[in-house]
Amino acid sequence: MVRTARFSEEDFIEATMALVAEGGPAAATMQAIARRVGAPTGSIYHRFDSRSAVLGAAWNRAYASFIKALAPLLRKGRPREAALAILPWSRENERRARFLLLNEPVTLFEDTPPPAPLREELERLEEEFDGAFRACVSGCGDGVVRDEDLARAKFLIFDAPIAILRPHLMRGGALPPFAERMIAELHAGMPLAATRNRAARPAVVA
Amino acid sequence: MVRTARFSEEDFIEATMALVAEGGPAAATMQAIARRVGAPTGSIYHRFDSRSAVLGAAWNRAYASFIKALAPLLRKGRPREAALAILPWSRENERRARFLLLNEPVTLFEDTPPPAPLREELERLEEEFDGAFRACVSGCGDGVVRDEDLARAKFLIFDAPIAILRPHLMRGGALPPFAERMIAELHAGMPLAATRNRAARPAVVA
DNA sequence: ACCATTCTAAAACGTCTATTCTAATTGGCA
DNA sequence: TGCCAATTAGAATAGACGTTTTAGAATGGT
């Protein structure tokens, strides 16, 4: 190294997350990222090949942090704790939570996909997460993991809690206490494994 | 009228929905919309003021159709039926379902909001939907609708079913039968009104 | 003190997009 | 038939954005 860098990868990634969290993916233009860091746009290209490389790096970083918080609980066979762990993680990583949980990768990368190394890293992360789900599901039944059971687990532990949190993440500010209650009740009322060989208990109407 | 129009508002709206449903919001450029209809780009501007006017009109149309399918059931106090009604609606309106349920208005309109008349129409639609939810919730308890109860109803009837359907809507193709089972079980296991004056039933772990 | 290297800095380029403009065409109606 | 507003038609414009280029400044070993 011959010249000390004023701006780090970290700086650009953090700025990107903040911009997307605040104004959606379209707000994270290269010029906006640079402006936020206080750098000229060209400097970003000394660290990243392209805009999708910046976005991809930010996504992988946020996703890895999220998985780190949930996967151990899943592997220990604690789906309810895993679902509830999304709350403290979101509170401690507000920016990351808004960035990760309020955007779909498909909309974030729809124009140009990230470069190969980042795509591969993302695949690894997704496999790790998927594996944790499978471990959790297979721990609660026999060895075979049926599609329905996996879909059900992902819903109960991931998609449903996020759906509960979404309005409050969007609005900003604190997550209300009843969000936690809703997640807990959801897990109390709906079993992780699909009821086999009998129809769902019919709901009592009126 | 002095010259018969070859292209209708309808044509452009339908093309816009199809493009967004197939390739995300960014795929619906004015040129892509025009190409799909077989018209020159300029012709769109004889019917719509701007791109956001086209998107807004498409959104309002899809949303109105969706609300029309659900609101009556909500007002009749049938939350479970309302949630399940999303399935046939999505099957009968596959294009609209992908357009409406797979995109957030905030990302669709983040660059430039639709013109005032469309915004007002959207507000009316949202109020109608909100009113139906409130009617449904207040029907199941006393007159006062608490924030928590409203959030819970919107989750059970709207967000959770959509979260269940999302992977299958994205992938395309038929919605699996277990999606219906999951929604039914969700409503069987989790009551519409929050349990008052006592904590949520604790889940049995391990 | 020099020099290769790494970085900042800012302007410039090329592409893509929404939008506008100008001209040609249509078809009911006086 | 000949007018005329509505419409088609497609090129032209202007701006935004990602990316590249060029120039210069800083650094640490030799």
Side-chain angles (χ1 to χ4, degrees), chain B residues 23-108:
Chain B
T29 67
M30 295 302 264
Q31 326 216 8
I33 296 168
R35 197 178 324 128
R36 183 159 190 126
V37 172
T41 63
S43 288
I44 306 180
Y45 287 89
H46 281 273
R47 322 246 165 234
F48 300 94
D49 285 342
S50 64
R51 178 172 181 269
S52 35
V54 187
L55 257 66
W59 183 265
N60 287 1
R61 174 170 305 218
Y63 199 25
S65 162
F66 182 83
I67 291 175
K68 197 174 170 190
L70 263 71
L73 293 165
L74 287 174
R75 293 199 178 276
K76 269 187 262 181
R78 302 188 176 274
R80 184 171 152 274
E81 278 88 345
L84 288 168
I86 299 177
L87 274 155
W89 183 86
S90 295
R91 283 194 257 260
E92 288 159 24
N93 304 275
E94 190 178 334
R95 180 176 295 174
R96 280 182 186 175
R98 287 176 57 93
F99 173 72
L100 186 76
L101 306 182
L102 253 31
N103 293 283
E104 302 252 14
V106 62
T107 76
L108 216 54

Coordinates of all heavy atoms in Angstrom, one line a residue, chain B residues 23-108:
Chain B
G23 N -41.9 -8.8 -15.6 CA -40.5 -8.3 -15.5 C -40.2 -7.3 -14.4 O -39.2 -6.7 -14.4
G24 N -41.2 -7.0 -13.6 CA -41.0 -6.0 -12.5 C -41.3 -4.6 -13.1 O -41.4 -4.4 -14.3
P25 N -41.3 -3.7 -12.2 CA -41.7 -2.3 -12.5 C -40.8 -1.7 -13.6 O -41.2 -1.0 -14.5 CB -41.6 -1.5 -11.2 CG -41.7 -2.6 -10.1 CD -41.1 -3.8 -10.7
A26 N -39.5 -2.0 -13.5 CA -38.5 -1.4 -14.4 C -38.8 -1.8 -15.9 O -38.3 -1.2 -16.8 CB -37.1 -1.7 -14.0
A27 N -39.4 -3.0 -16.0 CA -39.7 -3.5 -17.4 C -40.8 -2.7 -18.1 O -40.9 -2.7 -19.3 CB -40.1 -4.9 -17.3
A28 N -41.6 -1.9 -17.3 CA -42.7 -1.2 -17.9 C -42.2 0.2 -18.3 O -42.6 1.2 -17.7 CB -43.8 -1.1 -16.9
T29 N -41.3 0.3 -19.3 CA -40.9 1.6 -19.8 C -42.0 2.0 -20.8 O -42.8 1.2 -21.3 CB -39.6 1.5 -20.5 OG1 -39.7 0.7 -21.7 CG2 -38.5 1.0 -19.6
M30 N -42.1 3.3 -21.1 CA -43.1 3.8 -22.0 C -42.9 3.1 -23.4 O -43.9 2.8 -24.1 CB -42.9 5.3 -22.2 CG -43.3 6.0 -20.9 SD -44.9 5.7 -20.3 CE -45.8 7.1 -20.9
Q31 N -41.7 2.9 -23.8 CA -41.4 2.3 -25.1 C -41.9 0.8 -25.1 O -42.4 0.3 -26.1 CB -39.9 2.3 -25.4 CG -39.3 3.6 -24.9 CD -38.3 4.2 -25.8 OE1 -38.1 3.8 -26.9 NE2 -37.6 5.2 -25.3
A32 N -41.6 0.1 -24.0 CA -42.0 -1.3 -23.9 C -43.6 -1.4 -23.9 O -44.1 -2.3 -24.6 CB -41.5 -1.9 -22.6
I33 N -44.2 -0.5 -23.2 CA -45.7 -0.5 -23.2 C -46.2 -0.3 -24.6 O -47.1 -1.0 -25.1 CB -46.2 0.6 -22.2 CG1 -45.8 0.3 -20.8 CG2 -47.7 0.7 -22.4 CD1 -46.1 1.5 -19.9
A34 N -45.6 0.8 -25.3 CA -46.1 1.1 -26.6 C -45.8 -0.1 -27.6 O -46.7 -0.5 -28.3 CB -45.3 2.3 -27.1
R35 N -44.6 -0.7 -27.5 CA -44.3 -1.8 -28.3 C -45.3 -3.0 -28.2 O -45.7 -3.6 -29.1 CB -42.8 -2.3 -28.0 CG -42.2 -3.1 -29.1 CD -40.8 -3.5 -28.8 NE -40.1 -2.4 -28.1 CZ -39.5 -2.5 -27.0 NH1 -39.4 -3.7 -26.3 NH2 -38.9 -1.5 -26.4
R36 N -45.6 -3.2 -26.9 CA -46.5 -4.4 -26.6 C -47.9 -4.1 -27.2 O -48.5 -5.1 -27.6 CB -46.6 -4.6 -25.1 CG -47.4 -5.8 -24.8 CD -47.1 -6.2 -23.3 NE -47.8 -7.5 -23.1 CZ -47.1 -8.6 -22.7 NH1 -45.8 -8.5 -22.5 NH2 -47.7 -9.7 -22.4
V37 N -48.3 -2.9 -27.2 CA -49.6 -2.6 -27.8 C -49.5 -2.5 -29.3 O -50.5 -2.7 -30.0 CB -50.1 -1.3 -27.2 CG1 -51.4 -0.8 -27.8 CG2 -50.4 -1.4 -25.7
G38 N -48.3 -2.2 -29.8 CA -48.2 -1.9 -31.2 C -48.4 -0.5 -31.6 O -48.8 -0.2 -32.7
A39 N -48.2 0.4 -30.7 CA -48.5 1.8 -30.9 C -47.1 2.6 -30.7 O -46.2 2.1 -30.1 CB -49.5 2.3 -29.9
P40 N -47.1 3.8 -31.3 CA -45.9 4.6 -31.0 C -46.0 5.2 -29.6 O -47.1 5.3 -29.0 CB -46.0 5.7 -32.1 CG -47.5 5.8 -32.4 CD -48.0 4.4 -32.2
T41 N -44.8 5.5 -29.0 CA -44.8 5.9 -27.6 C -45.7 7.2 -27.5 O -46.3 7.4 -26.4 CB -43.4 6.3 -27.2 OG1 -42.9 7.3 -28.0 CG2 -42.5 5.1 -27.4
G42 N -45.6 8.1 -28.4 CA -46.4 9.3 -28.3 C -47.9 9.1 -28.1 O -48.5 9.9 -27.4
S43 N -48.4 8.0 -28.6 CA -49.8 7.8 -28.5 C -50.3 7.6 -27.0 O -51.4 7.9 -26.6 CB -50.3 6.6 -29.3 OG -50.2 6.9 -30.6
I44 N -49.4 7.1 -26.2 CA -49.7 6.9 -24.8 C -50.1 8.3 -24.1 O -51.0 8.4 -23.3 CB -48.5 6.3 -24.0 CG1 -48.1 5.0 -24.7 CG2 -49.0 6.0 -22.6 CD1 -47.0 4.3 -24.0
Y45 N -49.4 9.3 -24.6 CA -49.5 10.6 -24.0 C -50.8 11.3 -24.4 O -51.2 12.4 -23.9 CB -48.3 11.5 -24.3 CG -47.1 11.1 -23.5 CD1 -46.3 10.1 -23.9 CD2 -46.9 11.6 -22.2 CE1 -45.2 9.7 -23.2 CE2 -45.8 11.2 -21.4 CZ -44.9 10.2 -22.0 OH -43.9 9.8 -21.2
H46 N -51.5 10.7 -25.4 CA -52.9 11.2 -25.7 C -53.9 10.8 -24.7 O -55.0 11.3 -24.6 CB -53.3 10.8 -27.1 CG -52.6 11.6 -28.1 ND1 -53.2 12.8 -28.6 CD2 -51.5 11.5 -28.8 CE1 -52.4 13.4 -29.5 NE2 -51.4 12.6 -29.7
R47 N -53.6 9.7 -23.9 CA -54.5 9.1 -23.0 C -54.1 9.4 -21.5 O -54.9 9.5 -20.6 CB -54.6 7.6 -23.1 CG -54.6 7.2 -24.6 CD -55.9 6.6 -25.0 NE -56.0 6.4 -26.4 CZ -57.0 6.9 -27.1 NH1 -58.0 7.6 -26.5 NH2 -57.0 6.8 -28.4
F48 N -52.7 9.4 -21.3 CA -52.2 9.6 -20.0 C -51.2 10.7 -19.9 O -50.5 11.0 -20.9 CB -51.5 8.3 -19.5 CG -52.5 7.1 -19.5 CD1 -52.5 6.3 -20.6 CD2 -53.2 6.8 -18.4 CE1 -53.4 5.2 -20.6 CE2 -54.1 5.7 -18.4 CZ -54.2 4.9 -19.5
D49 N -51.2 11.4 -18.8 CA -50.3 12.6 -18.6 C -48.9 12.1 -18.5 O -48.0 12.9 -18.9 CB -50.7 13.4 -17.4 CG -52.0 14.2 -17.6 OD1 -52.3 14.4 -18.8 OD2 -52.6 14.6 -16.6
S50 N -48.6 11.0 -17.9 CA -47.3 10.6 -17.6 C -47.2 9.1 -17.4 O -48.2 8.4 -17.3 CB -46.7 11.3 -16.4 OG -47.5 10.9 -15.3
R51 N -46.0 8.6 -17.2 CA -45.8 7.2 -16.9 C -46.5 6.8 -15.6 O -47.2 5.8 -15.5 CB -44.3 6.9 -16.8 CG -44.0 5.4 -16.5 CD -42.6 5.1 -16.6 NE -42.3 3.7 -16.3 CZ -42.0 3.3 -15.1 NH1 -41.9 4.1 -14.1 NH2 -41.7 2.0 -14.9
S52 N -46.3 7.7 -14.6 CA -47.0 7.4 -13.3 C -48.5 7.4 -13.4 O -49.1 6.7 -12.6 CB -46.5 8.3 -12.2 OG -46.3 9.6 -12.7
A53 N -49.0 8.1 -14.3 CA -50.5 8.1 -14.5 C -50.9 6.7 -15.1 O -51.9 6.2 -14.7 CB -50.9 9.2 -15.5
V54 N -50.1 6.1 -15.9 CA -50.4 4.8 -16.5 C -50.3 3.8 -15.3 O -51.2 3.0 -15.1 CB -49.5 4.4 -17.6 CG1 -49.9 3.1 -18.2 CG2 -49.4 5.5 -18.6
L55 N -49.2 3.8 -14.6 CA -49.0 2.9 -13.5 C -50.1 3.1 -12.4 O -50.6 2.1 -11.9 CB -47.6 3.1 -12.9 CG -46.6 2.1 -13.3 CD1 -46.2 2.2 -14.7 CD2 -45.3 2.3 -12.4
G56 N -50.4 4.3 -12.1 CA -51.4 4.6 -11.1 C -52.8 4.0 -11.5 O -53.5 3.4 -10.7
A57 N -53.1 4.3 -12.8 CA -54.4 3.8 -13.3 C -54.5 2.2 -13.2 O -55.5 1.7 -12.8 CB -54.6 4.2 -14.7
A58 N -53.3 1.6 -13.6 CA -53.3 0.1 -13.6 C -53.4 -0.3 -12.1 O -54.2 -1.3 -11.8 CB -52.0 -0.4 -14.2
W59 N -52.7 0.3 -11.2 CA -52.8 -0.1 -9.8 C -54.2 0.1 -9.3 O -54.7 -0.9 -8.7 CB -51.8 0.8 -9.0 CG -51.8 0.4 -7.6 CD1 -52.5 0.9 -6.6 CD2 -51.0 -0.7 -7.0 NE1 -52.2 0.3 -5.4 CE2 -51.3 -0.7 -5.6 CE3 -50.1 -1.6 -7.5 CZ2 -50.7 -1.6 -4.8 CZ3 -49.5 -2.5 -6.7 CH2 -49.8 -2.5 -5.3
N60 N -54.8 1.2 -9.5 CA -56.2 1.4 -9.0 C -57.1 0.4 -9.5 O -58.0 -0.1 -8.8 CB -56.6 2.8 -9.3 CG -55.9 3.9 -8.5 OD1 -55.1 3.6 -7.7 ND2 -56.2 5.2 -8.8
R61 N -57.0 0.1 -10.8 CA -57.9 -0.9 -11.4 C -57.7 -2.3 -10.7 O -58.7 -2.9 -10.4 CB -57.6 -1.0 -12.9 CG -58.4 -2.1 -13.6 CD -58.3 -2.0 -15.0 NE -58.7 -0.7 -15.5 CZ -59.3 -0.4 -16.6 NH1 -59.7 -1.4 -17.4 NH2 -59.6 0.8 -17.0
A62 N -56.5 -2.7 -10.6 CA -56.3 -4.0 -10.0 C -56.7 -4.0 -8.5 O -57.4 -5.0 -8.0 CB -54.8 -4.4 -10.1
Y63 N -56.4 -2.9 -7.8 CA -56.8 -2.8 -6.4 C -58.3 -2.9 -6.2 O -58.9 -3.6 -5.4 CB -56.2 -1.6 -5.8 CG -56.1 -1.5 -4.3 CD1 -56.0 -2.7 -3.6 CD2 -56.0 -0.3 -3.7 CE1 -55.9 -2.6 -2.2 CE2 -55.9 -0.2 -2.3 CZ -55.8 -1.4 -1.6 OH -55.7 -1.3 -0.2
A64 N -59.0 -2.1 -7.1 CA -60.5 -2.1 -7.0 C -61.1 -3.5 -7.2 O -62.0 -3.9 -6.5 CB -61.0 -1.1 -8.1
S65 N -60.5 -4.2 -8.2 CA -61.0 -5.6 -8.4 C -60.8 -6.5 -7.2 O -61.7 -7.2 -6.8 CB -60.3 -6.1 -9.7 OG -60.4 -7.5 -9.7
F66 N -59.6 -6.3 -6.6 CA -59.3 -7.1 -5.4 C -60.2 -6.8 -4.3 O -60.8 -7.7 -3.6 CB -57.8 -6.8 -5.0 CG -57.3 -7.6 -3.9 CD1 -56.9 -8.9 -4.0 CD2 -57.3 -7.1 -2.6 CE1 -56.4 -9.6 -3.0 CE2 -56.9 -7.8 -1.5 CZ -56.4 -9.1 -1.7
I67 N -60.4 -5.5 -4.0 CA -61.3 -5.1 -2.9 C -62.7 -5.6 -3.1 O -63.4 -6.0 -2.2 CB -61.2 -3.6 -2.8 CG1 -59.8 -3.1 -2.3 CG2 -62.3 -3.1 -1.8 CD1 -59.7 -1.6 -2.2
K68 N -63.1 -5.5 -4.4 CA -64.5 -5.9 -4.7 C -64.7 -7.4 -4.3 O -65.8 -7.8 -4.0 CB -64.8 -5.7 -6.2 CG -66.2 -5.7 -6.6 CD -66.4 -5.4 -8.1 CE -67.8 -5.6 -8.5 NZ -67.9 -5.5 -10.0
A69 N -63.7 -8.2 -4.4 CA -63.8 -9.6 -4.1 C -63.8 -9.8 -2.6 O -64.4 -10.8 -2.1 CB -62.7 -10.4 -4.8
L70 N -63.1 -9.0 -1.8 CA -62.9 -9.2 -0.4 C -63.9 -8.4 0.5 O -64.3 -9.0 1.5 CB -61.5 -9.0 0.0 CG -60.6 -10.2 0.0 CD1 -60.3 -10.6 -1.4 CD2 -59.3 -9.9 0.7
A71 N -64.1 -7.2 0.2 CA -64.8 -6.3 1.1 C -66.2 -6.8 1.5 O -66.5 -6.8 2.7 CB -64.9 -4.9 0.5
P72 N -67.0 -7.3 0.6 CA -68.3 -7.8 1.0 C -68.2 -8.9 2.1 O -69.0 -8.9 3.0 CB -68.9 -8.4 -0.3 CG -68.2 -7.7 -1.4 CD -66.8 -7.4 -0.9
L73 N -67.2 -9.8 1.9 CA -67.0 -10.9 2.9 C -66.6 -10.3 4.3 O -67.0 -10.8 5.3 CB -66.0 -11.9 2.4 CG -66.5 -12.7 1.2 CD1 -65.3 -13.4 0.5 CD2 -67.6 -13.7 1.6
L74 N -65.8 -9.3 4.2 CA -65.3 -8.6 5.5 C -66.5 -8.0 6.2 O -66.7 -8.2 7.4 CB -64.3 -7.6 5.2 CG -62.9 -8.1 4.8 CD1 -62.0 -6.9 4.4 CD2 -62.3 -8.9 5.9
R75 N -67.3 -7.3 5.4 CA -68.4 -6.6 6.0 C -69.5 -7.6 6.5 O -70.2 -7.2 7.4 CB -69.1 -5.6 5.0 CG -68.1 -4.5 4.6 CD -68.9 -3.3 4.0 NE -67.9 -2.2 3.7 CZ -67.5 -1.3 4.6 NH1 -68.0 -1.3 5.8 NH2 -66.7 -0.4 4.2
K76 N -69.5 -8.7 6.0 CA -70.4 -9.8 6.5 C -69.8 -10.5 7.7 O -70.4 -11.4 8.3 CB -70.7 -10.8 5.4 CG -71.9 -10.5 4.6 CD -72.3 -11.6 3.6 CE -71.8 -11.3 2.3 NZ -72.1 -12.3 1.2
G77 N -68.6 -10.0 8.1 CA -68.0 -10.7 9.3 C -67.5 -12.1 9.1 O -67.5 -12.9 9.9
R78 N -66.9 -12.3 7.9 CA -66.4 -13.6 7.5 C -64.9 -13.5 7.2 O -64.5 -13.6 6.0 CB -67.2 -14.2 6.4 CG -68.7 -14.3 6.6 CD -69.3 -15.1 5.5 NE -70.7 -15.3 5.8 CZ -71.2 -16.4 6.6 NH1 -70.3 -17.2 7.1 NH2 -72.5 -16.5 6.8
P79 N -64.1 -13.3 8.2 CA -62.6 -13.1 7.9 C -62.0 -14.3 7.2 O -61.2 -14.1 6.3 CB -62.1 -12.8 9.3 CG -63.1 -13.4 10.2 CD -64.4 -13.2 9.6
R80 N -62.4 -15.5 7.7 CA -61.7 -16.6 7.1 C -62.1 -16.8 5.6 O -61.2 -17.0 4.8 CB -62.2 -17.9 7.8 CG -61.5 -19.2 7.4 CD -61.9 -20.3 8.3 NE -61.8 -21.6 7.6 CZ -62.9 -22.1 7.0 NH1 -64.0 -21.4 6.9 NH2 -62.8 -23.3 6.4
E81 N -63.3 -16.5 5.3 CA -63.7 -16.6 3.9 C -63.0 -15.5 3.0 O -62.7 -15.8 1.9 CB -65.3 -16.5 3.7 CG -66.0 -17.7 4.0 CD -66.4 -17.9 5.4 OE1 -65.8 -17.2 6.3 OE2 -67.2 -18.8 5.8
A82 N -62.9 -14.3 3.7 CA -62.2 -13.3 2.9 C -60.8 -13.6 2.6 O -60.3 -13.5 1.5 CB -62.3 -12.0 3.8
A83 N -60.1 -14.2 3.6 CA -58.7 -14.6 3.4 C -58.6 -15.7 2.3 O -57.8 -15.6 1.4 CB -58.1 -15.1 4.7
L84 N -59.5 -16.6 2.3 CA -59.5 -17.7 1.3 C -59.9 -17.2 0.0 O -59.6 -17.8 -1.0 CB -60.4 -18.8 1.8 CG -59.9 -19.6 3.0 CD1 -60.9 -20.6 3.6 CD2 -58.6 -20.4 2.5
A85 N -60.7 -16.1 -0.1 CA -61.1 -15.6 -1.4 C -60.0 -15.0 -2.2 O -60.1 -14.9 -3.4 CB -62.2 -14.5 -1.1
I86 N -58.8 -14.8 -1.5 CA -57.7 -14.3 -2.3 C -57.2 -15.4 -3.3 O -56.8 -15.0 -4.4 CB -56.5 -13.9 -1.4 CG1 -57.0 -12.8 -0.4 CG2 -55.3 -13.5 -2.1 CD1 -55.9 -12.4 0.6
L87 N -57.4 -16.6 -3.0 CA -57.0 -17.7 -3.9 C -57.7 -17.7 -5.2 O -57.1 -17.6 -6.2 CB -57.1 -19.0 -3.1 CG -55.9 -19.4 -2.3 CD1 -56.3 -20.4 -1.2 CD2 -54.8 -20.0 -3.1
P88 N -59.1 -17.9 -5.2 CA -59.8 -17.9 -6.5 C -59.6 -16.5 -7.2 O -59.4 -16.6 -8.4 CB -61.2 -18.1 -6.1 CG -61.3 -17.8 -4.6 CD -60.0 -18.1 -4.0
W89 N -59.5 -15.4 -6.5 CA -59.3 -14.2 -7.2 C -57.9 -14.2 -7.9 O -57.8 -13.8 -9.1 CB -59.3 -13.0 -6.2 CG -59.1 -11.6 -6.9 CD1 -60.1 -10.9 -7.5 CD2 -57.9 -10.9 -7.1 NE1 -59.6 -9.8 -8.0 CE2 -58.2 -9.8 -7.8 CE3 -56.6 -11.2 -6.8 CZ2 -57.3 -8.8 -8.2 CZ3 -55.6 -10.3 -7.2 CH2 -56.0 -9.1 -7.9
S90 N -56.9 -14.7 -7.2 CA -55.6 -14.8 -7.9 C -55.6 -15.7 -9.1 O -54.9 -15.5 -10.1 CB -54.5 -15.2 -6.9 OG -54.4 -14.3 -5.8
R91 N -56.3 -16.8 -8.9 CA -56.4 -17.8 -10.0 C -57.1 -17.2 -11.3 O -56.7 -17.4 -12.4 CB -57.0 -19.0 -9.6 CG -56.1 -19.9 -8.7 CD -56.7 -21.3 -8.6 NE -57.3 -21.5 -7.3 CZ -56.7 -22.1 -6.2 NH1 -55.5 -22.6 -6.4 NH2 -57.4 -22.3 -5.1
E92 N -58.1 -16.4 -11.0 CA -58.9 -15.9 -12.1 C -58.3 -14.6 -12.7 O -58.6 -14.2 -13.7 CB -60.3 -15.5 -11.6 CG -61.2 -16.8 -11.4 CD -62.3 -16.5 -10.4 OE1 -62.7 -15.3 -10.3 OE2 -62.8 -17.4 -9.8
N93 N -57.4 -14.0 -11.9 CA -56.8 -12.7 -12.3 C -55.2 -12.9 -12.2 O -54.6 -12.1 -11.4 CB -57.3 -11.5 -11.5 CG -58.8 -11.4 -11.6 OD1 -59.3 -10.8 -12.5 ND2 -59.5 -12.0 -10.6
E94 N -54.7 -13.8 -12.8 CA -53.3 -14.1 -12.5 C -52.4 -12.9 -12.8 O -51.5 -12.6 -12.0 CB -52.8 -15.3 -13.4 CG -51.4 -15.8 -13.0 CD -51.0 -17.0 -13.9 OE1 -51.9 -17.7 -14.4 OE2 -49.8 -17.2 -14.0
R95 N -52.6 -12.2 -13.9 CA -51.8 -11.1 -14.2 C -52.0 -10.0 -13.2 O -51.0 -9.4 -12.7 CB -52.3 -10.5 -15.6 CG -51.6 -9.3 -16.1 CD -52.0 -9.0 -17.5 NE -51.7 -10.0 -18.5 CZ -52.1 -9.9 -19.7 NH1 -52.8 -8.9 -20.1 NH2 -51.7 -10.9 -20.6
R96 N -53.2 -9.7 -12.8 CA -53.5 -8.7 -11.8 C -52.9 -9.0 -10.5 O -52.4 -8.2 -9.7 CB -55.0 -8.4 -11.7 CG -55.5 -7.6 -12.7 CD -57.0 -7.4 -12.5 NE -57.6 -6.6 -13.6 CZ -58.9 -6.4 -13.8 NH1 -59.7 -6.8 -12.8 NH2 -59.3 -5.7 -14.8
A97 N -53.0 -10.3 -10.2 CA -52.5 -10.8 -8.9 C -51.0 -10.6 -8.8 O -50.5 -10.1 -7.8 CB -52.8 -12.3 -8.7
R98 N -50.3 -11.0 -9.8 CA -48.8 -10.8 -9.8 C -48.5 -9.3 -9.8 O -47.5 -8.9 -9.1 CB -48.2 -11.4 -11.0 CG -48.1 -12.9 -11.0 CD -47.6 -13.5 -12.3 NE -46.2 -13.0 -12.6 CZ -45.1 -13.6 -12.2 NH1 -45.1 -14.7 -11.5 NH2 -43.9 -13.0 -12.5
F99 N -49.2 -8.5 -10.5 CA -49.0 -7.0 -10.5 C -49.3 -6.4 -9.1 O -48.5 -5.7 -8.6 CB -49.9 -6.4 -11.6 CG -49.9 -4.9 -11.6 CD1 -48.8 -4.2 -12.0 CD2 -51.0 -4.2 -11.1 CE1 -48.7 -2.8 -12.0 CE2 -50.9 -2.8 -11.1 CZ -49.8 -2.1 -11.6
L100 N -50.4 -6.8 -8.5 CA -50.8 -6.1 -7.3 C -50.2 -6.7 -6.1 O -49.8 -5.9 -5.2 CB -52.4 -6.3 -7.1 CG -53.0 -5.5 -6.0 CD1 -53.1 -4.1 -6.3 CD2 -54.4 -6.1 -5.7
L101 N -50.0 -8.0 -6.0 CA -49.6 -8.6 -4.7 C -48.1 -8.8 -4.6 O -47.6 -9.1 -3.6 CB -50.3 -10.0 -4.6 CG -51.8 -9.9 -4.7 CD1 -52.4 -11.3 -4.5 CD2 -52.4 -8.9 -3.7
L102 N -47.4 -8.6 -5.7 CA -46.0 -8.8 -5.7 C -45.2 -7.5 -5.7 O -44.0 -7.5 -5.7 CB -45.6 -9.7 -6.9 CG -45.1 -11.1 -6.7 CD1 -45.8 -11.8 -5.6 CD2 -45.4 -11.9 -8.0
N103 N -46.0 -6.4 -5.8 CA -45.3 -5.1 -5.8 C -45.9 -4.2 -4.7 O -47.1 -4.3 -4.4 CB -45.5 -4.4 -7.1 CG -44.8 -5.1 -8.2 OD1 -43.5 -5.0 -8.4 ND2 -45.5 -5.9 -9.0
E104 N -45.0 -3.4 -4.1 CA -45.5 -2.4 -3.1 C -45.7 -1.1 -3.8 O -44.8 -0.7 -4.6 CB -44.5 -2.3 -2.0 CG -44.1 -3.5 -1.3 CD -44.7 -3.6 0.1 OE1 -45.6 -2.7 0.4 OE2 -44.3 -4.4 0.9
P105 N -46.8 -0.4 -3.5 CA -47.0 0.9 -4.2 C -45.8 1.8 -4.0 O -45.4 2.6 -4.8 CB -48.2 1.4 -3.6 CG -48.5 0.5 -2.4 CD -47.9 -0.8 -2.6
V106 N -45.1 1.7 -2.8 CA -44.0 2.6 -2.5 C -42.9 2.4 -3.5 O -42.2 3.4 -3.8 CB -43.6 2.4 -1.0 CG1 -43.1 1.0 -0.8 CG2 -42.5 3.5 -0.7
T107 N -42.6 1.2 -3.9 CA -41.5 1.0 -4.9 C -42.0 1.3 -6.3 O -41.2 1.7 -7.1 CB -41.0 -0.4 -4.8 OG1 -41.9 -1.3 -5.5 CG2 -40.8 -0.9 -3.4
L108 N -43.3 1.1 -6.5 CA -43.8 1.4 -7.8 C -43.9 2.9 -8.1 O -43.6 3.3 -9.3 CB -45.3 0.8 -7.9 CG -45.7 0.2 -9.2 CD1 -44.7 -0.9 -9.7 CD2 -47.1 -0.4 -9.1

